[in-house]
Amino acid sequence: MSKLKLCVLFGGVSSEHEVSLLSAESVLTHLNEDKYEIHRIVITKDGKWLYYDRKNEEISRCSDFQALGLDRAVLSPDREDHGLLRFTKDGVVRIPIDVVFPVLHGKNGEDGTIQGLFELAGIPYVGSGVIGSSVCMDKCVAKILFARAGIPQANWVEIKAGEPDKVDEIEQKLGYPCFIKPSNAGSSVGISKAHNRSELVEGLKLAFAHDYKVLVEEMMTGTEVESSVFGNLRPVCAEALGEIAPANEFYDYEAKYKSADSRLTIPAKLEPSVAEKLKEYALRAYQICECRGLSRVDFFVDKTSGDVRLNEINTLPGFTAISMYPKMWEASGVPYGELLDRLVQCALERQGNC
C-alpha cells in the first residue's frame, strides 16, 4: 500500500513564528513515517517558502532557515499540479500532495488566508476552512456569533482605528480592571490588562500596533478551563478538560510558551454538571463559527457559582510538548500520534467546505 503524501507547513509571517516551529517539531516527531511520505515546507518570517530537508529536532533551534541553503518551494494554486513545486539547481520538480497539515499559528496561518490557497489548489487540509478560520481569528466577529448562539461571555467594546475616543464608554460599560486585545492576533500577543485610565490608554496603543481593530473586555473572574473539539459536521469534545493556573497575572504569551511555572491540570477539577455545560457550549460555539477538523475552545469558570463564560476559539491550537489540545485528547484515551492520524483522515473526509 502506497504512503499518503503529506505536506507539513510551518513557520509563517506571524508573531507566533517561533511557536509554530515548536509545534511543527513535535508534530513531525509523532507522525508515522510508515504511513506518510512527508514533505516539509518552512515559511520564513519575511515570507520565503523553503523545502526543509534537515533533521526534525533542529527546527526549533534554527534562527535563519535561508542560511541553510534550502531549495525554494511553493504550493501551486494550479490544480493540475496538485502539489508542490520545488526549485532545485537542476530545474523545477513537481511533488504531488494528497493532504496538507498547516502547523501555522496566528496571522497568515490561522486566519483563512493560507486556507484560501489550499482551496484554490484543490488539496484537502487539516483544520477549519476559510470562513471558520477567519471569523474565529477576528475576536470581535466571533463574539457577535457567540452572542447569536446564546453562549455566555464577557461584555465588550469594539474600537476601530480612526474612530472617536471610547475611553469614557469603556469605563462606564466595563470598568476596571479590563483587558485590551487586538481583534486579529493570536496567542495573547499585544494583550494587556488595565487597572486605570492611563494603563487603558497605553494598552490601546499596544493593541493598535498589532491590528486596526481592538476589543476591550470586562474582566472575567474564575478559573481558565480549556476544551478540545474534533470533527467536521458532527464534532465531539474530548472527555478530559484542562485547567490553567498561569505563571503571570493572566495567561499571556510568556505564560503559555516560555514559563515553566504555569500549572496545567488535566482533567480539570469541575463538578460533572459544570463540565457537561462547558462541553455543550464548546460544541455550540464550534458549530456556529463553522469550524472543522479541530479547535481548542477556552472558558472561564466560577467554581463557586458554576457559571461558565466563553473566552475564545483557537482553530489551529499549539501542538508543542506542553500544549493543551493534544494533552486533553491523550488524557481522554487518544495518544498524540493517533490524534494526528485522525486529523489527517478528517481532512480527507471533508467534502468542499463541509
PDB file of all heavy atoms in Angstrom, residues 282-316:
ATOM      1  N   ALA A 282     -18.997  24.521  24.111  1.00  0.00           N
ATOM      2  CA  ALA A 282     -17.860  24.383  23.196  1.00  0.00           C
ATOM      3  C   ALA A 282     -18.324  23.883  21.832  1.00  0.00           C
ATOM      4  O   ALA A 282     -17.924  24.407  20.783  1.00  0.00           O
ATOM      5  CB  ALA A 282     -16.815  23.440  23.789  1.00  0.00           C
ATOM      6  N   LEU A 283     -19.172  22.877  21.833  1.00  0.00           N
ATOM      7  CA  LEU A 283     -19.674  22.336  20.568  1.00  0.00           C
ATOM      8  C   LEU A 283     -20.575  23.348  19.862  1.00  0.00           C
ATOM      9  O   LEU A 283     -20.529  23.484  18.626  1.00  0.00           O
ATOM     10  CB  LEU A 283     -20.436  21.035  20.823  1.00  0.00           C
ATOM     11  CG  LEU A 283     -19.588  19.856  21.304  1.00  0.00           C
ATOM     12  CD1 LEU A 283     -20.473  18.672  21.678  1.00  0.00           C
ATOM     13  CD2 LEU A 283     -18.567  19.441  20.245  1.00  0.00           C
ATOM     14  N   ARG A 284     -21.370  24.090  20.631  1.00  0.00           N
ATOM     15  CA  ARG A 284     -22.251  25.086  20.034  1.00  0.00           C
ATOM     16  C   ARG A 284     -21.421  26.201  19.372  1.00  0.00           C
ATOM     17  O   ARG A 284     -21.732  26.658  18.265  1.00  0.00           O
ATOM     18  CB  ARG A 284     -23.169  25.681  21.105  1.00  0.00           C
ATOM     19  CG  ARG A 284     -24.369  26.419  20.527  1.00  0.00           C
ATOM     20  CD  ARG A 284     -25.134  27.187  21.601  1.00  0.00           C
ATOM     21  NE  ARG A 284     -25.659  26.324  22.665  1.00  0.00           N
ATOM     22  CZ  ARG A 284     -26.343  26.804  23.705  1.00  0.00           C
ATOM     23  NH1 ARG A 284     -26.559  28.121  23.816  1.00  0.00           N
ATOM     24  NH2 ARG A 284     -26.796  25.980  24.633  1.00  0.00           N
ATOM     25  N   ALA A 285     -20.371  26.643  20.059  1.00  0.00           N
ATOM     26  CA  ALA A 285     -19.500  27.688  19.510  1.00  0.00           C
ATOM     27  C   ALA A 285     -18.775  27.197  18.262  1.00  0.00           C
ATOM     28  O   ALA A 285     -18.657  27.914  17.262  1.00  0.00           O
ATOM     29  CB  ALA A 285     -18.493  28.134  20.571  1.00  0.00           C
ATOM     30  N   TYR A 286     -18.291  25.974  18.319  1.00  0.00           N
ATOM     31  CA  TYR A 286     -17.564  25.354  17.198  1.00  0.00           C
ATOM     32  C   TYR A 286     -18.453  25.324  15.955  1.00  0.00           C
ATOM     33  O   TYR A 286     -18.014  25.648  14.848  1.00  0.00           O
ATOM     34  CB  TYR A 286     -17.171  23.947  17.627  1.00  0.00           C
ATOM     35  CG  TYR A 286     -16.267  23.160  16.698  1.00  0.00           C
ATOM     36  CD1 TYR A 286     -14.885  23.220  16.849  1.00  0.00           C
ATOM     37  CD2 TYR A 286     -16.780  22.301  15.730  1.00  0.00           C
ATOM     38  CE1 TYR A 286     -14.042  22.461  16.048  1.00  0.00           C
ATOM     39  CE2 TYR A 286     -15.954  21.550  14.924  1.00  0.00           C
ATOM     40  CZ  TYR A 286     -14.585  21.620  15.088  1.00  0.00           C
ATOM     41  OH  TYR A 286     -13.762  20.868  14.287  1.00  0.00           O
ATOM     42  N   GLN A 287     -19.699  24.964  16.142  1.00  0.00           N
ATOM     43  CA  GLN A 287     -20.602  24.813  15.007  1.00  0.00           C
ATOM     44  C   GLN A 287     -21.073  26.146  14.451  1.00  0.00           C
ATOM     45  O   GLN A 287     -21.139  26.322  13.236  1.00  0.00           O
ATOM     46  CB  GLN A 287     -21.785  23.924  15.401  1.00  0.00           C
ATOM     47  CG  GLN A 287     -21.369  22.465  15.596  1.00  0.00           C
ATOM     48  CD  GLN A 287     -22.492  21.584  16.101  1.00  0.00           C
ATOM     49  OE1 GLN A 287     -23.118  21.877  17.116  1.00  0.00           O
ATOM     50  NE2 GLN A 287     -22.768  20.505  15.392  1.00  0.00           N
ATOM     51  N   ILE A 288     -21.385  27.119  15.319  1.00  0.00           N
ATOM     52  CA  ILE A 288     -21.871  28.396  14.792  1.00  0.00           C
ATOM     53  C   ILE A 288     -20.770  29.158  14.072  1.00  0.00           C
ATOM     54  O   ILE A 288     -21.032  29.949  13.162  1.00  0.00           O
ATOM     55  CB  ILE A 288     -22.503  29.279  15.896  1.00  0.00           C
ATOM     56  CG1 ILE A 288     -23.389  30.350  15.229  1.00  0.00           C
ATOM     57  CG2 ILE A 288     -21.444  29.907  16.798  1.00  0.00           C
ATOM     58  CD1 ILE A 288     -24.294  31.076  16.169  1.00  0.00           C
ATOM     59  N   CYS A 289     -19.515  28.892  14.428  1.00  0.00           N
ATOM     60  CA  CYS A 289     -18.382  29.539  13.759  1.00  0.00           C
ATOM     61  C   CYS A 289     -17.883  28.746  12.543  1.00  0.00           C
ATOM     62  O   CYS A 289     -16.884  29.122  11.937  1.00  0.00           O
ATOM     63  CB  CYS A 289     -17.235  29.747  14.744  1.00  0.00           C
ATOM     64  SG  CYS A 289     -17.567  31.039  15.971  1.00  0.00           S
ATOM     65  N   GLU A 290     -18.581  27.667  12.207  1.00  0.00           N
ATOM     66  CA  GLU A 290     -18.235  26.845  11.036  1.00  0.00           C
ATOM     67  C   GLU A 290     -16.824  26.269  11.135  1.00  0.00           C
ATOM     68  O   GLU A 290     -16.086  26.208  10.143  1.00  0.00           O
ATOM     69  CB  GLU A 290     -18.380  27.658   9.743  1.00  0.00           C
ATOM     70  CG  GLU A 290     -19.784  28.158   9.453  1.00  0.00           C
ATOM     71  CD  GLU A 290     -20.760  27.038   9.081  1.00  0.00           C
ATOM     72  OE1 GLU A 290     -20.312  25.904   8.873  1.00  0.00           O
ATOM     73  OE2 GLU A 290     -21.973  27.324   9.004  1.00  0.00           O
ATOM     74  N   CYS A 291     -16.446  25.841  12.326  1.00  0.00           N
ATOM     75  CA  CYS A 291     -15.132  25.218  12.500  1.00  0.00           C
ATOM     76  C   CYS A 291     -15.138  23.806  11.922  1.00  0.00           C
ATOM     77  O   CYS A 291     -16.173  23.147  11.864  1.00  0.00           O
ATOM     78  CB  CYS A 291     -14.757  25.175  13.978  1.00  0.00           C
ATOM     79  SG  CYS A 291     -14.560  26.792  14.733  1.00  0.00           S
ATOM     80  N   ARG A 292     -13.963  23.349  11.528  1.00  0.00           N
ATOM     81  CA  ARG A 292     -13.781  21.997  11.009  1.00  0.00           C
ATOM     82  C   ARG A 292     -12.451  21.439  11.515  1.00  0.00           C
ATOM     83  O   ARG A 292     -11.522  22.183  11.799  1.00  0.00           O
ATOM     84  CB  ARG A 292     -13.765  21.981   9.466  1.00  0.00           C
ATOM     85  CG  ARG A 292     -15.008  22.542   8.787  1.00  0.00           C
ATOM     86  CD  ARG A 292     -16.198  21.614   8.945  1.00  0.00           C
ATOM     87  NE  ARG A 292     -17.346  22.075   8.178  1.00  0.00           N
ATOM     88  CZ  ARG A 292     -18.295  22.885   8.634  1.00  0.00           C
ATOM     89  NH1 ARG A 292     -18.229  23.330   9.877  1.00  0.00           N
ATOM     90  NH2 ARG A 292     -19.293  23.263   7.864  1.00  0.00           N
ATOM     91  N   GLY A 293     -12.389  20.123  11.619  1.00  0.00           N
ATOM     92  CA  GLY A 293     -11.135  19.462  11.963  1.00  0.00           C
ATOM     93  C   GLY A 293     -10.811  19.500  13.444  1.00  0.00           C
ATOM     94  O   GLY A 293     -10.892  18.484  14.129  1.00  0.00           O
ATOM     95  N   LEU A 294     -10.448  20.670  13.935  1.00  0.00           N
ATOM     96  CA  LEU A 294     -10.040  20.790  15.333  1.00  0.00           C
ATOM     97  C   LEU A 294     -10.145  22.233  15.789  1.00  0.00           C
ATOM     98  O   LEU A 294     -10.053  23.158  14.987  1.00  0.00           O
ATOM     99  CB  LEU A 294      -8.598  20.318  15.541  1.00  0.00           C
ATOM    100  CG  LEU A 294      -7.471  21.250  15.064  1.00  0.00           C
ATOM    101  CD1 LEU A 294      -6.162  20.878  15.753  1.00  0.00           C
ATOM    102  CD2 LEU A 294      -7.295  21.249  13.566  1.00  0.00           C
ATOM    103  N   SER A 295     -10.344  22.406  17.074  1.00  0.00           N
ATOM    104  CA  SER A 295     -10.267  23.719  17.718  1.00  0.00           C
ATOM    105  C   SER A 295     -10.123  23.512  19.219  1.00  0.00           C
ATOM    106  O   SER A 295     -10.620  22.530  19.766  1.00  0.00           O
ATOM    107  CB  SER A 295     -11.523  24.566  17.458  1.00  0.00           C
ATOM    108  OG  SER A 295     -11.567  25.056  16.139  1.00  0.00           O
ATOM    109  N   ARG A 296      -9.438  24.445  19.848  1.00  0.00           N
ATOM    110  CA  ARG A 296      -9.425  24.499  21.309  1.00  0.00           C
ATOM    111  C   ARG A 296     -10.354  25.640  21.709  1.00  0.00           C
ATOM    112  O   ARG A 296     -10.193  26.767  21.226  1.00  0.00           O
ATOM    113  CB  ARG A 296      -8.013  24.766  21.833  1.00  0.00           C
ATOM    114  CG  ARG A 296      -7.841  24.433  23.323  1.00  0.00           C
ATOM    115  CD  ARG A 296      -6.531  24.947  23.875  1.00  0.00           C
ATOM    116  NE  ARG A 296      -6.546  26.397  23.965  1.00  0.00           N
ATOM    117  CZ  ARG A 296      -5.631  27.189  23.391  1.00  0.00           C
ATOM    118  NH1 ARG A 296      -4.631  26.676  22.680  1.00  0.00           N
ATOM    119  NH2 ARG A 296      -5.721  28.501  23.511  1.00  0.00           N
ATOM    120  N   VAL A 297     -11.314  25.343  22.562  1.00  0.00           N
ATOM    121  CA  VAL A 297     -12.304  26.336  22.968  1.00  0.00           C
ATOM    122  C   VAL A 297     -12.074  26.641  24.444  1.00  0.00           C
ATOM    123  O   VAL A 297     -12.100  25.747  25.285  1.00  0.00           O
ATOM    124  CB  VAL A 297     -13.743  25.839  22.723  1.00  0.00           C
ATOM    125  CG1 VAL A 297     -14.735  26.973  22.932  1.00  0.00           C
ATOM    126  CG2 VAL A 297     -13.891  25.272  21.306  1.00  0.00           C
ATOM    127  N   ASP A 298     -11.855  27.936  24.755  1.00  0.00           N
ATOM    128  CA  ASP A 298     -11.414  28.345  26.090  1.00  0.00           C
ATOM    129  C   ASP A 298     -12.517  29.073  26.853  1.00  0.00           C
ATOM    130  O   ASP A 298     -13.246  29.896  26.270  1.00  0.00           O
ATOM    131  CB  ASP A 298     -10.206  29.272  25.978  1.00  0.00           C
ATOM    132  CG  ASP A 298      -9.048  28.632  25.223  1.00  0.00           C
ATOM    133  OD1 ASP A 298      -9.059  27.391  25.061  1.00  0.00           O
ATOM    134  OD2 ASP A 298      -8.136  29.364  24.800  1.00  0.00           O
ATOM    135  N   PHE A 299     -12.600  28.801  28.151  1.00  0.00           N
ATOM    136  CA  PHE A 299     -13.646  29.345  29.004  1.00  0.00           C
ATOM    137  C   PHE A 299     -13.075  29.868  30.319  1.00  0.00           C
ATOM    138  O   PHE A 299     -11.940  29.549  30.687  1.00  0.00           O
ATOM    139  CB  PHE A 299     -14.670  28.262  29.350  1.00  0.00           C
ATOM    140  CG  PHE A 299     -15.439  27.719  28.183  1.00  0.00           C
ATOM    141  CD1 PHE A 299     -14.916  26.690  27.402  1.00  0.00           C
ATOM    142  CD2 PHE A 299     -16.693  28.219  27.871  1.00  0.00           C
ATOM    143  CE1 PHE A 299     -15.630  26.176  26.330  1.00  0.00           C
ATOM    144  CE2 PHE A 299     -17.410  27.711  26.801  1.00  0.00           C
ATOM    145  CZ  PHE A 299     -16.882  26.691  26.030  1.00  0.00           C
ATOM    146  N   PHE A 300     -13.905  30.651  31.024  1.00  0.00           N
ATOM    147  CA  PHE A 300     -13.662  30.964  32.425  1.00  0.00           C
ATOM    148  C   PHE A 300     -14.805  30.360  33.231  1.00  0.00           C
ATOM    149  O   PHE A 300     -15.971  30.466  32.845  1.00  0.00           O
ATOM    150  CB  PHE A 300     -13.595  32.473  32.659  1.00  0.00           C
ATOM    151  CG  PHE A 300     -12.293  33.081  32.223  1.00  0.00           C
ATOM    152  CD1 PHE A 300     -12.170  33.667  30.975  1.00  0.00           C
ATOM    153  CD2 PHE A 300     -11.182  33.045  33.057  1.00  0.00           C
ATOM    154  CE1 PHE A 300     -10.968  34.207  30.560  1.00  0.00           C
ATOM    155  CE2 PHE A 300      -9.972  33.588  32.658  1.00  0.00           C
ATOM    156  CZ  PHE A 300      -9.862  34.176  31.400  1.00  0.00           C
ATOM    157  N   VAL A 301     -14.459  29.725  34.344  1.00  0.00           N
ATOM    158  CA  VAL A 301     -15.448  29.060  35.183  1.00  0.00           C
ATOM    159  C   VAL A 301     -15.348  29.586  36.605  1.00  0.00           C
ATOM    160  O   VAL A 301     -14.273  29.567  37.216  1.00  0.00           O
ATOM    161  CB  VAL A 301     -15.239  27.528  35.187  1.00  0.00           C
ATOM    162  CG1 VAL A 301     -16.256  26.860  36.109  1.00  0.00           C
ATOM    163  CG2 VAL A 301     -15.338  26.964  33.774  1.00  0.00           C
ATOM    164  N   ASP A 302     -16.478  30.084  37.108  1.00  0.00           N
ATOM    165  CA  ASP A 302     -16.566  30.484  38.510  1.00  0.00           C
ATOM    166  C   ASP A 302     -16.927  29.238  39.316  1.00  0.00           C
ATOM    167  O   ASP A 302     -18.048  28.735  39.230  1.00  0.00           O
ATOM    168  CB  ASP A 302     -17.635  31.561  38.689  1.00  0.00           C
ATOM    169  CG  ASP A 302     -17.660  32.120  40.110  1.00  0.00           C
ATOM    170  OD1 ASP A 302     -17.541  31.328  41.058  1.00  0.00           O
ATOM    171  OD2 ASP A 302     -17.810  33.340  40.261  1.00  0.00           O
ATOM    172  N   LYS A 303     -15.984  28.729  40.082  1.00  0.00           N
ATOM    173  CA  LYS A 303     -16.197  27.452  40.764  1.00  0.00           C
ATOM    174  C   LYS A 303     -17.178  27.547  41.930  1.00  0.00           C
ATOM    175  O   LYS A 303     -17.692  26.535  42.398  1.00  0.00           O
ATOM    176  CB  LYS A 303     -14.859  26.878  41.220  1.00  0.00           C
ATOM    177  CG  LYS A 303     -14.001  26.389  40.062  1.00  0.00           C
ATOM    178  CD  LYS A 303     -12.856  25.540  40.547  1.00  0.00           C
ATOM    179  CE  LYS A 303     -12.099  24.926  39.390  1.00  0.00           C
ATOM    180  NZ  LYS A 303     -10.994  24.066  39.839  1.00  0.00           N
ATOM    181  N   THR A 304     -17.440  28.771  42.384  1.00  0.00           N
ATOM    182  CA  THR A 304     -18.408  28.937  43.470  1.00  0.00           C
ATOM    183  C   THR A 304     -19.831  28.848  42.939  1.00  0.00           C
ATOM    184  O   THR A 304     -20.675  28.108  43.459  1.00  0.00           O
ATOM    185  CB  THR A 304     -18.197  30.278  44.181  1.00  0.00           C
ATOM    186  OG1 THR A 304     -16.866  30.327  44.704  1.00  0.00           O
ATOM    187  CG2 THR A 304     -19.191  30.441  45.317  1.00  0.00           C
ATOM    188  N   SER A 305     -20.093  29.606  41.865  1.00  0.00           N
ATOM    189  CA  SER A 305     -21.450  29.644  41.301  1.00  0.00           C
ATOM    190  C   SER A 305     -21.678  28.608  40.209  1.00  0.00           C
ATOM    191  O   SER A 305     -22.815  28.263  39.899  1.00  0.00           O
ATOM    192  CB  SER A 305     -21.722  31.034  40.725  1.00  0.00           C
ATOM    193  OG  SER A 305     -20.878  31.286  39.604  1.00  0.00           O
ATOM    194  N   GLY A 306     -20.565  28.130  39.600  1.00  0.00           N
ATOM    195  CA  GLY A 306     -20.695  27.203  38.476  1.00  0.00           C
ATOM    196  C   GLY A 306     -20.938  27.899  37.151  1.00  0.00           C
ATOM    197  O   GLY A 306     -21.139  27.241  36.127  1.00  0.00           O
ATOM    198  N   ASP A 307     -20.893  29.241  37.138  1.00  0.00           N
ATOM    199  CA  ASP A 307     -21.103  29.992  35.900  1.00  0.00           C
ATOM    200  C   ASP A 307     -19.952  29.744  34.922  1.00  0.00           C
ATOM    201  O   ASP A 307     -18.781  29.731  35.308  1.00  0.00           O
ATOM    202  CB  ASP A 307     -21.201  31.489  36.185  1.00  0.00           C
ATOM    203  CG  ASP A 307     -22.491  31.861  36.905  1.00  0.00           C
ATOM    204  OD1 ASP A 307     -23.438  31.046  36.869  1.00  0.00           O
ATOM    205  OD2 ASP A 307     -22.557  32.955  37.494  1.00  0.00           O
ATOM    206  N   VAL A 308     -20.321  29.557  33.658  1.00  0.00           N
ATOM    207  CA  VAL A 308     -19.352  29.313  32.594  1.00  0.00           C
ATOM    208  C   VAL A 308     -19.463  30.445  31.578  1.00  0.00           C
ATOM    209  O   VAL A 308     -20.563  30.773  31.133  1.00  0.00           O
ATOM    210  CB  VAL A 308     -19.622  27.967  31.896  1.00  0.00           C
ATOM    211  CG1 VAL A 308     -18.699  27.792  30.696  1.00  0.00           C
ATOM    212  CG2 VAL A 308     -19.451  26.816  32.871  1.00  0.00           C
ATOM    213  N   ARG A 309     -18.318  31.045  31.225  1.00  0.00           N
ATOM    214  CA  ARG A 309     -18.332  32.082  30.199  1.00  0.00           C
ATOM    215  C   ARG A 309     -17.231  31.806  29.175  1.00  0.00           C
ATOM    216  O   ARG A 309     -16.084  31.522  29.535  1.00  0.00           O
ATOM    217  CB  ARG A 309     -18.162  33.471  30.819  1.00  0.00           C
ATOM    218  CG  ARG A 309     -19.394  33.903  31.603  1.00  0.00           C
ATOM    219  CD  ARG A 309     -19.468  35.409  31.736  1.00  0.00           C
ATOM    220  NE  ARG A 309     -18.557  35.908  32.757  1.00  0.00           N
ATOM    221  CZ  ARG A 309     -18.400  37.204  33.045  1.00  0.00           C
ATOM    222  NH1 ARG A 309     -19.093  38.114  32.383  1.00  0.00           N
ATOM    223  NH2 ARG A 309     -17.566  37.582  33.981  1.00  0.00           N
ATOM    224  N   LEU A 310     -17.618  31.893  27.913  1.00  0.00           N
ATOM    225  CA  LEU A 310     -16.700  31.596  26.810  1.00  0.00           C
ATOM    226  C   LEU A 310     -15.687  32.716  26.628  1.00  0.00           C
ATOM    227  O   LEU A 310     -16.039  33.897  26.655  1.00  0.00           O
ATOM    228  CB  LEU A 310     -17.507  31.404  25.524  1.00  0.00           C
ATOM    229  CG  LEU A 310     -16.731  31.147  24.225  1.00  0.00           C
ATOM    230  CD1 LEU A 310     -15.871  29.902  24.326  1.00  0.00           C
ATOM    231  CD2 LEU A 310     -17.709  31.023  23.060  1.00  0.00           C
ATOM    232  N   ASN A 311     -14.434  32.337  26.418  1.00  0.00           N
ATOM    233  CA  ASN A 311     -13.385  33.315  26.150  1.00  0.00           C
ATOM    234  C   ASN A 311     -13.103  33.408  24.652  1.00  0.00           C
ATOM    235  O   ASN A 311     -13.366  34.423  24.027  1.00  0.00           O
ATOM    236  CB  ASN A 311     -12.117  32.942  26.917  1.00  0.00           C
ATOM    237  CG  ASN A 311     -11.011  33.956  26.739  1.00  0.00           C
ATOM    238  OD1 ASN A 311     -11.270  35.111  26.387  1.00  0.00           O
ATOM    239  ND2 ASN A 311      -9.775  33.551  26.964  1.00  0.00           N
ATOM    240  N   GLU A 312     -12.621  32.313  24.034  1.00  0.00           N
ATOM    241  CA  GLU A 312     -12.298  32.360  22.607  1.00  0.00           C
ATOM    242  C   GLU A 312     -12.123  30.966  22.034  1.00  0.00           C
ATOM    243  O   GLU A 312     -12.059  29.970  22.764  1.00  0.00           O
ATOM    244  CB  GLU A 312     -11.018  33.169  22.372  1.00  0.00           C
ATOM    245  CG  GLU A 312      -9.779  32.550  23.019  1.00  0.00           C
ATOM    246  CD  GLU A 312      -8.524  33.361  22.776  1.00  0.00           C
ATOM    247  OE1 GLU A 312      -8.615  34.417  22.120  1.00  0.00           O
ATOM    248  OE2 GLU A 312      -7.447  32.931  23.214  1.00  0.00           O
ATOM    249  N   ILE A 313     -12.034  30.912  20.689  1.00  0.00           N
ATOM    250  CA  ILE A 313     -11.755  29.677  19.961  1.00  0.00           C
ATOM    251  C   ILE A 313     -10.424  29.832  19.242  1.00  0.00           C
ATOM    252  O   ILE A 313     -10.157  30.866  18.622  1.00  0.00           O
ATOM    253  CB  ILE A 313     -12.844  29.366  18.924  1.00  0.00           C
ATOM    254  CG1 ILE A 313     -14.192  29.103  19.590  1.00  0.00           C
ATOM    255  CG2 ILE A 313     -12.449  28.148  18.082  1.00  0.00           C
ATOM    256  CD1 ILE A 313     -15.299  28.753  18.603  1.00  0.00           C
ATOM    257  N   ASN A 314      -9.597  28.806  19.308  1.00  0.00           N
ATOM    258  CA  ASN A 314      -8.347  28.747  18.537  1.00  0.00           C
ATOM    259  C   ASN A 314      -8.458  27.609  17.535  1.00  0.00           C
ATOM    260  O   ASN A 314      -8.531  26.435  17.920  1.00  0.00           O
ATOM    261  CB  ASN A 314      -7.155  28.507  19.467  1.00  0.00           C
ATOM    262  CG  ASN A 314      -6.859  29.701  20.343  1.00  0.00           C
ATOM    263  OD1 ASN A 314      -6.151  30.616  19.944  1.00  0.00           O
ATOM    264  ND2 ASN A 314      -7.430  29.722  21.539  1.00  0.00           N
ATOM    265  N   THR A 315      -8.476  27.950  16.239  1.00  0.00           N
ATOM    266  CA  THR A 315      -8.713  26.929  15.215  1.00  0.00           C
ATOM    267  C   THR A 315      -7.469  26.115  14.866  1.00  0.00           C
ATOM    268  O   THR A 315      -7.587  25.025  14.313  1.00  0.00           O
ATOM    269  CB  THR A 315      -9.277  27.567  13.928  1.00  0.00           C
ATOM    270  OG1 THR A 315      -8.389  28.611  13.484  1.00  0.00           O
ATOM    271  CG2 THR A 315     -10.655  28.145  14.177  1.00  0.00           C
ATOM    272  N   LEU A 316      -6.280  26.635  15.149  1.00  0.00           N
ATOM    273  CA  LEU A 316      -5.056  25.847  14.989  1.00  0.00           C
ATOM    274  C   LEU A 316      -4.248  25.987  16.280  1.00  0.00           C
ATOM    275  O   LEU A 316      -3.255  26.724  16.331  1.00  0.00           O
ATOM    276  CB  LEU A 316      -4.238  26.318  13.778  1.00  0.00           C
ATOM    277  CG  LEU A 316      -4.735  25.844  12.419  1.00  0.00           C
ATOM    278  CD1 LEU A 316      -3.955  26.510  11.294  1.00  0.00           C
ATOM    279  CD2 LEU A 316      -4.615  24.316  12.296  1.00  0.00           C
TER     280      LEU A 316
END
